[in-house]
Amino acid sequence: MTGAPLPDRLDTARLTLRPFHMEDVERFVPLIGDWEVARWLARVPHPYGPEDGRAWVALAARNRAERASLDLLAVRRNDGQPNDGQPVGGIGVILADGEIGYWLGRPHQGIGYGTEMLRAVVATAFALGLPRLWARIAPDNHRSRRVLETVGFLPLNDADHYELTAGRWRFFTRETA
Ligand SMILES: CC(C)(COP(=O)(O)OP(=O)(O)OC[C@H]1O[C@@H](n2cnc3c(N)ncnc32)[C@H](O)[C@@H]1OP(=O)(O)O)[C@@H](O)C(=O)NCCC(=O)NCCS
């Protein structure tokens, strides 16, 4: 990995990805506290309350300072529309081994935000010098599978894991550009 600083924000067409803040807790906890979201996420406790949210914000800040992981909250971009700045989901990558995880609140699913935020974080992770990214996925998580495949990930033999190497990403982005 390069020593380049971790980004403070990433902008996509419709979203800004930026670090979690304590002031965000009351707005992201109800989204990730929804069982229909949490049931797909191996590392997220359920039920999930404000105390869990505050602990997560503190942990994400520490992991960022130690360059252990890059964890970002996805909010609607500030472009003068109603609901600007509203949290919609989160995405993170563990920098030691390239594991990537992501989620969207239920009201924000089904409109392509998943692909949008994954693509932005994948590009950043490879720019930081990670050689390989991977994700663990439940067998029946068809939407997440589709998002991973759209961005260029390939299933490994056990089909519960997907991976994307930096070489394939460079090839894939050249092909789809
Ligand atoms: C997984 C998740 C991030 C996907 O993001 P999203 O923006 O909601 O994704 P979309 O609804 O736009 O769907 C992505 C793709 O899956 C397809 N899809 C949707 N429902 C599907 C289903 N039941 N079966 C197969 N494909 C499906 C869509 O058509 C779309 O494909 P396309 O890009 O070719 O049109 C989001 O649904 C989520 O947060 N789920 C709960 C948490 C989770 O599963 N996290 C990932 C853990 S590995």
Side-chain angles (χ1 to χ4, degrees):
M1 201 170 64
T2 69
L6 302 184
D8 281 332
R9 64 181 282 167
L10 301 174
D11 287 311
T12 69
R14 293 173 293 170
L15 302 173
T16 293
L17 310 181
R18 53 132 175 105
F20 288 79
H21 304 309
M22 286 299 172
E23 308 82 76
D24 300 317
V25 166
E26 68 182 48
R27 295 204 292 169
F28 78 77
V29 164
L31 299 177
I32 198 166
D34 178 350
W35 175 238
E36 284 305 316
V37 175
R39 73 191 186 98
W40 303 107
L41 305 170
R43 294 173 196 269
V44 173
H46 188 81
Y48 192 101
E51 201 48 49
D52 299 297
R54 283 190 285 276
W56 168 250
V57 174
L59 179 63
R62 199 161 60 242
N63 284 341
R64 181 184 180 83
E66 293 171 358
R67 289 178 78 85
S69 65
L70 174 64
D71 296 292
L72 300 168
L73 179 70
V75 304
R76 298 260 282 264
R77 266 180 85 144
N78 285 317
D79 53 9
Q81 300 299 313
N83 298 325
D84 272 1
Q86 181 189 340
V88 299
I91 183 162
V93 55
I94 297 174
L95 298 173
D97 70 355
E99 182 178 2
I100 202 156
Y102 47 85
W103 60 273
L104 289 168
R106 241 197 300 178
H108 311 291
Q109 296 177 4
I111 51 172
Y113 283 164
T115 306
E116 204 168 305
M117 64 184 189
L118 183 60
R119 211 171 252 140
V121 168
V122 163
T124 299
F126 287 135
L128 288 168
L130 271 72
R132 163 185 183 263
L133 296 169
W134 64 278
R136 188 193 323 255
I137 181 164
D140 53 343
N141 198 343
H142 305 296
R143 276 183 306 177
S144 189
R145 239 168 245 284
R146 181 77 196 124
V147 166
L148 288 164
E149 287 167 1
T150 301
V151 174
F153 282 75
L154 291 173
L156 295 179
N157 286 340
D158 63 3
D160 289 345
H161 294 84
Y162 273 72
E163 81 162 9
L164 178 58
T165 61
R168 178 171 158 81
W169 168 254
R170 278 194 289 275
F171 177 76
F172 197 77
T173 44
R174 210 171 45 229
E175 289 292 297
T176 57

